[in-house]
Amino acid sequence: GEDQLDAQFDFPLYGSLRAALIDDSIELPALFSARADSDALYGDAVMSQFLGNHDVSRFVSDADAGDWADSEESACETGWVPTNPDIYDRLRLAWTFLLTQPGLPLIYYGDELGIPGYRDPSNRAPLWWFSSAIDGSETNLEDVSNGLYHPEEHGAVLQHLATLGDARANHSVFHLGSTIEWWQETDLYAFARTTGDSHLLVAFNRSNTDRTISNGLSYAELPTEGRWTDLLTGESFDATEDNLILSIPALESRVLLME
C-alpha cells in the first residue's frame, strides 16, 4: 500500500543462510527452500538479501565463536581474528549464494574482506583497522590484502566477491529468469537459470570432501551441448549428449556461465 515500504531486508533468509553455512544446522536444500518461501511471501517487493549488518555479529565471528564470546571484552579490543581457513571458505560460499540470487544483495563494509566483530561496537569497527591501504584513493585489491592480518584468506574473499559483483553487473542471468533445481543433497546443491541466450549453473559443496556430479541438462532448460566456464576459476567443462560432469572441490562453489 501507499503507506508501506516497497522493500525490506530479508531477515528470515539471513537466518537460514547463517544456519546453512556457519554451523550446518540446516541442510543446503533447506536454504533454497527458504529462498522460495521469501519469494512466495513477499511477491513483487524487491527484497534485500544480506549476510550481516551493524546490528548483528559478523559472519566470521559467529563461525568461530568460543569462550571469549561470552566475556566482557569485545573481539576487536582483544585483537582476536579467526585463523581457521574453513571459515573464509564458508564466507565465500555465502557470497556466492547472495550474488547469484534475485533481489538486492547488501554488502556491509568489511564483510567483503571477512573482518571480525562479535558484538557492538566491534561489529562496527572502522575498516582501516584491518587494512592499511584504505586512504581515500582508488584501492588496489592486492594492497588491501597485504594490509590485513591474514592476507591470503582476506584477499581470497575480496577477489571472490569482486569477481561475483562484476559478473552480476554484466550478466542479467545472475538475478533474472526462472530458477530450476539441478542437484540436491544435504551438503551439495546446484541450480540452473536461463535468461535469453544466457545460461547460469551454480553449484555449492559444503562438505570437506571433493565431489563430482554427472547430470542431464535438457530437463533444466539448459543446452545439451557446449562449454561451461567457471567465472571464479576460469576452468571449463564440456557438456555432451545432454550430460555434464562437474567437479566441485570441498567447501567451494562453481559459478558456470554459457552464452
Side-chain angles (χ1 to χ4, degrees):
E2 294 181 357
D3 60 343
Q4 299 180 19
L5 292 173
D6 294 323
Q8 283 271 28
F9 293 121
D10 193 338
F11 271 93
L13 184 60
Y14 153 82
S16 296
L17 178 59
R18 288 208 168 191
L21 295 178
I22 286 182
D23 61 9
D24 297 354
S25 56
I26 66 172
E27 299 179 354
L28 280 183
L31 170 60
F32 288 87
S33 292
R35 169 79 242 191
D37 290 343
S38 290
D39 292 340
L41 179 62
Y42 300 124
D44 294 333
V46 182
M47 301 299 292
S48 178
Q49 62 265 18
F50 67 103
L51 183 64
N53 63 22
H54 64 289
D55 285 327
V56 299
S57 60
R58 290 189 181 270
F59 185 96
V60 298
S61 297
D62 254 0
D64 198 38
D67 294 337
W68 59 267
D70 296 321
S71 70
E72 295 297 323
E73 298 177 305
S74 67
C76 65
E77 290 170 343
T78 60
W80 167 88
V81 179
T83 58
N84 182 353
D86 287 359
I87 290 175
Y88 300 96
D89 292 339
R90 288 173 174 269
L91 178 57
R92 289 195 295 274
L93 285 174
W95 282 130
T96 297
F97 176 83
L98 284 180
L99 270 294
T100 58
Q101 297 300 305
L104 296 174
L106 166 71
I107 302 174
Y108 180 54
Y109 81 93
D111 285 345
E112 78 278 8
L113 302 169
I115 68 174
Y118 184 69
R119 56 164 71 98
D120 182 9
S122 63
N123 61 347
R124 307 180 186 187
L127 184 61
W128 53 261
W129 284 15
F130 302 94
S131 172
S132 60
I134 305 298
D135 60 1
S137 62
E138 184 176 351
T139 300
N140 179 281
L141 298 186
E142 183 178 352
D143 290 340
V144 174
S145 302
N146 290 336
L148 297 167
Y149 290 112
H150 303 293
E152 183 176 351
E153 301 299 343
H154 291 287
V157 173
L158 185 60
Q159 293 284 356
H160 184 88
L161 184 52
T163 299
L164 288 170
D166 183 66
R168 184 180 179 90
N170 288 288
H171 303 283
S172 60
V173 71
F174 270 69
H175 54 88
L176 296 178
S178 59
T179 301
I180 298 177
E181 182 179 272
W182 194 65
W183 193 276
Q184 72 150 303
E185 296 179 25
T186 297
D187 296 318
L188 194 65
Y189 193 92
F191 70 84
R193 189 180 299 133
T194 294
T195 300
D197 294 329
S198 294
H199 309 278
L200 183 70
L201 187 59
V202 183
F204 302 81
N205 181 5
R206 190 180 68 177
S207 74
N208 292 311
T209 304
D210 296 347
R211 296 293 307 275
T212 297
I213 297 174
S214 178
N215 201 13
L217 297 161
S218 58
Y219 82 91
E221 302 177 6
L222 299 174
T224 58
E225 306 278 341
R227 174 160 293 184
W228 294 85
T229 300
D230 185 354
L231 300 182
L232 298 174
T233 66
E235 296 175 79
S236 295
F237 299 86
D238 291 323
T240 59
E241 299 180 354
D242 194 21
N243 188 70
L244 178 67
I245 300 175
L246 178 63
S247 63
I248 315 167
L251 287 174
E252 290 192 15
S253 57
R254 294 282 193 191
V255 180
L256 304 173
L257 186 69
M258 178 189 286
E259 292 187 302

